[in-house]
Amino acid sequence: MVFEAAGAAELFLVARLLFGGVLAFMGLNHFMNAESMAPYAEAKGLPLPKASVYVSGGLLAVSGVLVILGAYVVVAAGALATFLLASAVTMHDFWAVPEDQQQNEMTQFLKNVVMAGGALVVLTLAGTAWPYSVGLSLV
């Protein structure tokens, strides 16, 4: 993909700021609210629930920043897509919770799925030279 259309490069930068910024904020939220999130992770059967909250927070924060910067995009977007799809199914299993929790879990499930879709779009564009990026990659 070439960013030749007027404003395309700037629009893509805004998209990266929005997508990566929300992910980074979500990651920071894991760190700021680890005490309240750990019991939920434990209830979902995660081993080492507090550590899981910190690890997932780190993945979200670092990957979000990398998407914004346009650095190591294949790793960041691949990790995000994998994590978001896995957590949608394991953490937000709306089909397996009591009826009074189904709507909230479905909303969280759908949020993760749509963000995984965004990560896959970013992954698709990883081989393209990105405007306004640091351009670091593994290859």
Side-chain angles (χ1 to χ4, degrees), residues 24-37 53-54 57:
F25 177 78
M26 288 169 55
L28 291 175
N29 188 52
H30 278 65
F31 286 97
M32 295 184 303
N33 297 302
E35 292 296 326
S36 63
M37 295 176 89
V53 170
Y54 285 125

Side-chain angles (χ1 to χ4, degrees), residues 20-66:
V22 167
L23 290 162
F25 177 78
M26 288 169 55
L28 291 175
N29 188 52
H30 278 65
F31 286 97
M32 295 184 303
N33 297 302
E35 292 296 326
S36 63
M37 295 176 89
Y40 179 77
E42 184 175 26
K44 292 294 185 171
L46 287 182
L48 304 169
K50 193 168 184 182
S52 296
V53 170
Y54 285 125
V55 168
S56 61
L59 183 143
L60 289 166
V62 170
S63 295
V65 170
L66 290 175

Side-chain angles (χ1 to χ4, degrees), residues 54-138:
Y54 285 125
V55 168
S56 61
L59 183 143
L60 289 166
V62 170
S63 295
V65 170
L66 290 175
V67 167
I68 290 170
L69 295 175
Y72 305 108
V73 178
V74 171
V75 174
L80 284 167
T82 301
F83 167 74
L84 289 165
L85 287 173
S87 65
V89 174
T90 60
M91 299 298 290
H92 304 299
D93 52 348
F94 63 90
W95 55 89
V97 299
E99 190 173 337
D100 64 329
Q101 298 172 18
Q102 285 180 350
Q103 185 61 53
N104 183 53
E105 290 297 345
M106 184 186 300
T107 300
Q108 295 303 315
F109 175 88
L110 294 172
K111 174 212 36 126
N112 279 24
V113 170
V114 78
M115 292 187 80
L120 291 173
V121 170
V122 169
L123 183 58
T124 301
L125 296 172
T128 303
W130 287 11
Y132 306 109
S133 73
V134 297
L136 297 173
S137 69
L138 296 176

